[in-house]
Amino acid sequence: MVQAGALGAELDELLRVVRRRSPASVLAWLGGRIGADVAWVGRAGSVDAATPGFPPGIARVLPQHTGPLAGGGLVAATTHLNGREVRLEAFGGRAPRPVLVTAASAPLPRDWVVLASHAGGLLELLDRAGAADEDAHGYEAKSRQLRFAVLTALMSGDVTLARRMTTGDVPPLLGAERIRVHLLHCTPADRDRLARTYLDPAGYHGAALMVHCPAFKEHLICPIAEDAEPVGRLRQGEVLRRLVRENPGYALGVSRPHPLAATADAYGEALHALTVARNSPDRLAVYRGRPSLVQVLDRRPAAAWASAFLEPLAAVPKPTVDITRLAVTFPRAAVARLLQISRTTVAAHCRRAEEALGADLGDVRTRAALDLALSLTAVHPGPADDRRPAPTLPELLRTVPAVSWAESFVGPLRGSRHGDLHRTAEAWIGAGTDARAAAERLGLSRNTVRARLRAAERLLNRDLLTTGSGIHDLVHALEVTGGQRARPAAESDHRARWPGGRVAS
């Protein structure tokens, strides 16, 4: 029997055991103290945990005895089973209630009954805490899915759909006229923690969203309202900048302000800016790049060419076009993760598009042309002007806007200071974006080629190596200024392999 005044010490010890948050540890400690076998019957009516010696015969018949207690009809009961005195006590105020069961060879002294009651109460609190954790994790998972769905709608330019998804509790971001996308590079574990840390009660992040990029596990996509209250904007943007200052492994790319419906354009800029940021001392960059070719071409001839180029794709399913649109820009594995499909499925859709076009998408120049056509149809939807014949792509690239754009685009790579970067970029594109083949052409090491391409990324404000989303502008610019023609490249793990060819390394 517990000595007078010793119960307090036992309870202190019990609390130390409970802090381990292990019901089995609590039951083992309690059974050792009171000299009994102990079991914890959960709300579902089954034994969730028990001491190793708990009699199986008693465990089998427990449901017959725990029912009235779990339902709230009784608080405690004592019975005899298999020659043991079995005491049952229910805990909690909401049915079904968990039940603590002790089986001893003799009736338990009062002090031990009190100790068992304290242990049962603490186990019930642990049970509730565990359920609360599960509920919290479930809420976080659902809110994370909703944030991704909202971002997906915004990336497609459908602000109305994004609002419908959040009916009843529209986040402040969806009321903004203009936004900047901040793209944070951090560890996957950190992006989980950051998204939780800055989560508001509604499941958003104030005048911003923090969305896990499904394609690149180190990226946290953060669209922030540009026209929010000044204090709010400072807080959201400054939090991300402070995180970069305090964490050497972080980097942040920031877009220019864009209308909410142009979130995809803002994301593209942030992606390019992040590439520059990762190669700069302060690991922070705001997009300062030149416009893409899509933005400068004359609308009517560009739309006519794009419509004619894409006409064969009218015969393939829309999912094939959508998947190919992503796969000509991003690595196949990233597309598969984004869409939650297999790489084999991505490859099958790409082969279907390739067969319809009669083109070898293993050729980076062909991929660049397809990407340009798809981008033009997104910018200029609707039927093209059929009164004039559609120009060819070489004709389109010889127009004044295209030539002016190309000269400006590659300008930073020219001159005495950066001539080696221009030659390297030409060789790399000429080798189908295979760094090893380019190195052989130049008589350099593969690492030197990649280092020069990283330097070119900073000057061009384009991502060439991480996701490859800036390669196609470089292809067109070099085609205009130097007539470079790319060949299918050699095998590489960095970019998706296309049938009949390879891509960037």
Side-chain angles (χ1 to χ4, degrees), residues 15-209:
L15 288 173
R16 283 193 288 272
V17 176
V18 167
R19 289 192 187 101
R20 303 174 192 168
R21 302 197 68 167
S22 167
S25 298
V26 175
L27 296 181
W29 178 89
L30 178 63
R33 284 295 187 275
I34 65 177
D37 293 308
V38 191
W40 181 252
V41 179
R43 297 180 190 276
S46 59
V47 176
D48 287 352
T51 53
F54 195 87
I58 296 178
R60 282 194 295 271
V61 299
L62 276 181
Q64 305 171 24
H65 301 274
T66 57
L69 289 94
L74 295 172
V75 175
T78 302
T79 186
H80 288 81
L81 295 172
N82 294 356
R84 298 282 193 98
E85 173 149 313
V86 178
R87 187 177 185 281
L88 306 96
E89 184 174 358
F91 297 88
R94 187 179 63 183
R97 303 186 298 174
V99 178
L100 180 70
V101 182
T102 58
S105 57
L108 294 176
R110 182 177 178 280
D111 288 342
W112 286 351
V113 171
V114 170
L115 187 61
S117 293
H118 282 299
L122 292 170
L123 283 172
E124 195 272 335
L125 290 176
L126 277 181
D127 190 43
R128 274 195 279 169
D133 283 346
E134 289 181 7
D135 290 344
H137 289 315
Y139 171 76
E140 288 176 3
K142 292 299 180 185
S143 64
R144 173 174 159 179
Q145 291 169 0
L146 177 59
R147 293 194 302 273
F148 176 69
V150 168
L151 179 65
T152 300
L154 292 178
M155 293 281 276
S156 67
D158 198 336
V159 179
T160 301
L161 176 60
R163 284 179 166 276
R164 284 182 188 153
M165 292 176 179
T166 59
T167 298
D169 195 5
V170 179
L173 179 74
L174 297 186
E177 292 185 5
R178 297 173 71 78
I179 58 108
R180 289 180 189 260
V181 169
H182 294 61
L183 189 58
L184 181 69
H185 176 95
C186 60
T187 64
D190 280 358
R191 73 174 184 171
D192 293 340
R193 177 179 57 80
L194 293 172
R196 286 195 304 269
T197 299
Y198 299 102
L199 197 67
D200 64 25
Y204 306 113
H205 300 91
L209 295 178

Side-chain angles (χ1 to χ4, degrees), residues 247-373:
N247 296 273
Y250 286 17
L252 180 66
V254 184
S255 75
R256 296 174 297 186
H258 283 266
L260 190 58
T263 299
D265 293 335
Y267 169 74
E269 289 186 359
L271 192 61
H272 292 311
L274 179 61
T275 297
V276 176
R278 294 187 65 192
N279 292 288
S280 63
D282 56 1
R283 293 166 286 110
L284 170 66
V286 178
Y287 183 75
R288 304 260 190 262
R290 296 153 190 80
S292 69
L293 179 59
V294 173
Q295 295 168 295
V296 302
L297 290 173
D298 187 61
R299 177 186 178 279
R300 289 189 175 182
W305 169 77
S307 178
F309 186 90
L310 297 175
E311 185 177 0
L313 292 183
V316 304
K318 186 176 183 298
T320 292
V321 178
D322 293 340
I323 290 171
T324 304
R325 184 192 303 269
L326 292 169
V328 295
T329 302
F330 297 107
R332 180 179 298 175
V335 175
R337 288 194 297 270
L338 173 64
L339 302 177
Q340 297 186 345
I341 58 179
S342 70
R343 293 179 64 179
T344 303
T345 301
V346 174
H349 283 286
C350 292
R351 281 195 299 271
R352 185 180 298 160
E354 196 174 37
E355 290 164 2
L357 291 167
D360 176 15
L361 291 174
D363 184 342
V364 67
R365 187 167 176 265
T366 303
R367 291 198 304 278
L370 177 56
D371 184 35
L372 178 63

Side-chain angles (χ1 to χ4, degrees), residues 440-459:
E440 291 175 357
R441 289 186 179 191
L442 295 168
L444 302 171
S445 71
R446 181 174 179 270
N447 288 341
T448 300
V449 168
R450 289 181 62 85
R452 288 183 178 182
L453 292 172
R454 288 293 185 198
E457 286 181 323
R458 291 195 297 274
L459 295 171

